[in-house]
Amino acid sequence: MSGQIEARFRLDRGDFRLDVDLALPGHGVSALFGHSGSGKTTCLRALAGLLRTPGGYVALNGEIWQDEGCGLFLPTHRRALGMVFQDAGLFPHLSVRGNMEFGQRRAATGSVALGDIAELLGIAHLLDRRPAQLSGGERQRVAIARALLTAPRVLLMDEPLAALDLKRKLEILPYLENLHRELDIPVIYVSHSPDEVARLADHLVLLDAGRVVASGPLNSVLSRTDLSAVFADDAGVVLETHVAEHEADDLTRLEFPGGTIYVSRRPEPVGTRLRCRIHARDVSLALVPASQSSILNCVAATVVDLAPTETPGHMLVRLAVGSDPMLARITRRSAEKLGIRPGLALRAQIKSVALLA
């Protein structure tokens, strides 16, 4: 599925005003990210038709769902969408199969096979259980399955992991990644967790006080030095790598267009694609390769730009590592000592790599 999702909303609610104009890809995962009260959920509810905004406009791959200028407003039940909330909202008197069949009956067109969705989300062995017999992560997977069985053209997810503890979040994230790989429909995912966004998103929208601060491909937004206050200590980028080799000393070599990095031995076979997160705080800079250093991962980089951070005396440096961006957080004193400036060629030393898989 190609095309795009267009949405324009303006809404005044006392001291809060929503004013957004979005053009999102018609494929992959688009994340709406921001602090509490930034307007993420309000925007998602407007997209779903649960909230009607004066002058609003919504179009999905050319199909107009709302155009208040023409008096057009499709109610939620006439929009081909699936929605998953923080609370799974399952029917307690129905089994897992019964909850999923409820979604299937709402499909306007031919639904996918219930068994296929159950396998994709790892709930095939739970079909005869009632919601009270499920863990929080299992309930959310059933809620996602029910939404997918309505044969939606877009899946809207409103902080589906927010009510789960860390163990349950880690349980469900691999299944969300499966959806990312297998689904042929766009997903709009609301979150205030940088880790979730880094792990799942292709496109990132930053919201603050009801307005769009930035919108674009994940790394182009994550690597902006003028947005360091949004991510604070979580500033960093995501690298798309593949497993190149498992080496004899229990390390795995990962390759990406900008170079090579090593991590502790991974179970995935050679050729597997892995997404890695590199935090700015874990990158140091050197003008020459360090031959006497315990830091194993050192890649050639070029300075693109730099800017001060919210922390006094610190700078955020944006680098180009081949075709990939990278960020480094260093002190102003170090920047001056090394003569950090746009165009400078140097080495980026990566102290820690977070595997997002």
Side-chain angles (χ1 to χ4, degrees):
M1 183 179 292
S2 58
Q4 66 177 4
I5 300 166
E6 300 171 73
R8 295 191 294 274
F9 305 120
R10 285 168 182 79
L11 178 69
D12 285 298
R13 278 187 169 177
D15 58 354
F16 175 78
R17 185 184 186 195
L18 181 71
D19 188 354
V20 300
D21 189 342
L22 295 172
L24 305 176
H27 56 86
V29 178
S30 294
L32 304 184
F33 176 84
H35 301 297
S36 297
S38 61
K40 306 183 299 296
T41 295
T42 303
C43 187
L44 201 72
R45 288 176 60 82
L47 275 165
L50 296 170
L51 176 66
R52 187 166 185 171
T53 58
Y57 180 87
V58 180
L60 175 67
N61 297 324
E63 179 182 325
I64 299 174
W65 287 355
Q66 181 177 356
D67 186 350
E68 296 292 348
C70 301
L72 173 64
F73 180 84
L74 290 184
T76 302
H77 69 273
R78 292 185 56 198
R79 302 186 185 198
L81 59 85
M83 193 155 186
V84 181
F85 300 93
Q86 292 182 29
D87 184 336
L90 302 180
F91 297 114
H93 62 288
L94 296 180
S95 65
V96 167
R97 185 189 302 277
N99 272 278
M100 292 172 67
E101 288 173 343
F102 176 84
Q104 214 169 21
R105 289 194 294 271
R106 290 186 56 242
T109 58
S111 176
V112 293
L114 185 149
D116 291 344
I117 292 296
E119 288 291 338
L120 180 63
L121 287 162
I123 55 175
H125 64 295
L126 303 174
L127 293 177
D128 295 326
R129 295 190 189 178
R130 296 289 177 92
Q133 299 171 298
L134 306 177
S135 71
E138 289 168 343
R139 284 194 292 271
Q140 281 299 78
R141 282 187 272 155
V142 175
I144 295 168
R146 183 176 62 183
L148 291 175
L149 286 167
T150 65
R153 294 183 58 202
V154 60
L155 181 63
L156 308 181
M157 307 185 80
D158 186 11
E159 301 203 61
L161 308 187
L164 303 180
D165 59 29
L166 180 59
K167 182 179 179 180
R168 299 308 177 195
K169 286 182 181 181
L170 294 177
E171 167 197 309
I172 197 173
L173 274 167
Y175 295 102
L176 295 182
E177 289 173 327
N178 283 344
L179 294 182
H180 187 181
R181 289 189 292 266
E182 300 294 333
L183 286 184
D184 192 32
I185 61 171
V187 177
I188 301 180
Y189 190 97
V190 164
S191 178
H192 63 269
S193 166
D195 285 338
E196 287 177 34
V197 169
R199 190 159 177 171
L200 299 172
D202 304 298
H203 187 96
L204 179 57
V205 178
L206 297 184
L207 288 170
D208 183 43
R211 294 179 178 272
V212 176
V213 177
S215 179
L218 179 66
N219 261 343
S220 70
V221 176
L222 288 179
S223 63
R224 282 178 51 173
T225 54
D226 60 329
L227 298 175
S228 62
V230 176
F231 298 103
D233 200 42
D234 279 311
V237 300
V238 172
L239 296 181
E240 298 284 353
T241 73
H242 70 273
V243 177
E245 186 178 2
H246 299 298
E247 307 211 344
D249 55 354
D250 287 328
L251 294 177
T252 292
R253 176 163 54 88
L254 305 178
E255 291 184 352
F256 66 104
T260 295
I261 54 179
Y262 292 88
V263 297
S264 296
R265 188 176 183 88
R266 298 289 302 180
E268 295 85 1
V270 170
T272 302
R273 300 186 66 84
L274 292 178
R275 184 177 270 203
C276 304
R277 190 163 185 216
I278 310 293
H279 285 94
R281 63 174 182 265
D282 291 328
V283 178
S284 62
L285 304 179
L287 297 182
V288 295
S291 58
Q292 304 295 322
S293 172
S294 63
I295 298 177
L296 189 61
N297 295 315
C298 184
V299 295
T302 303
V303 176
V304 177
D305 61 28
L306 64 163
T309 72
E310 294 291 296
T311 304
H314 284 73
M315 306 290 290
L316 196 64
V317 184
R318 180 158 60 109
L319 308 164
V321 181
S323 59
D324 289 293
M326 191 172 291
L327 293 176
R329 187 190 301 275
I330 63 174
T331 63
R332 182 185 298 274
R333 180 177 297 182
S334 294
E336 293 173 353
K337 179 181 178 181
L338 297 175
I340 302 297
R341 62 191 183 279
L344 179 67
L346 42 65
R347 308 291 289 191
Q349 300 177 129
I350 304 168
K351 292 175 280 186
S352 179
V353 178
L355 271 293
L356 301 177

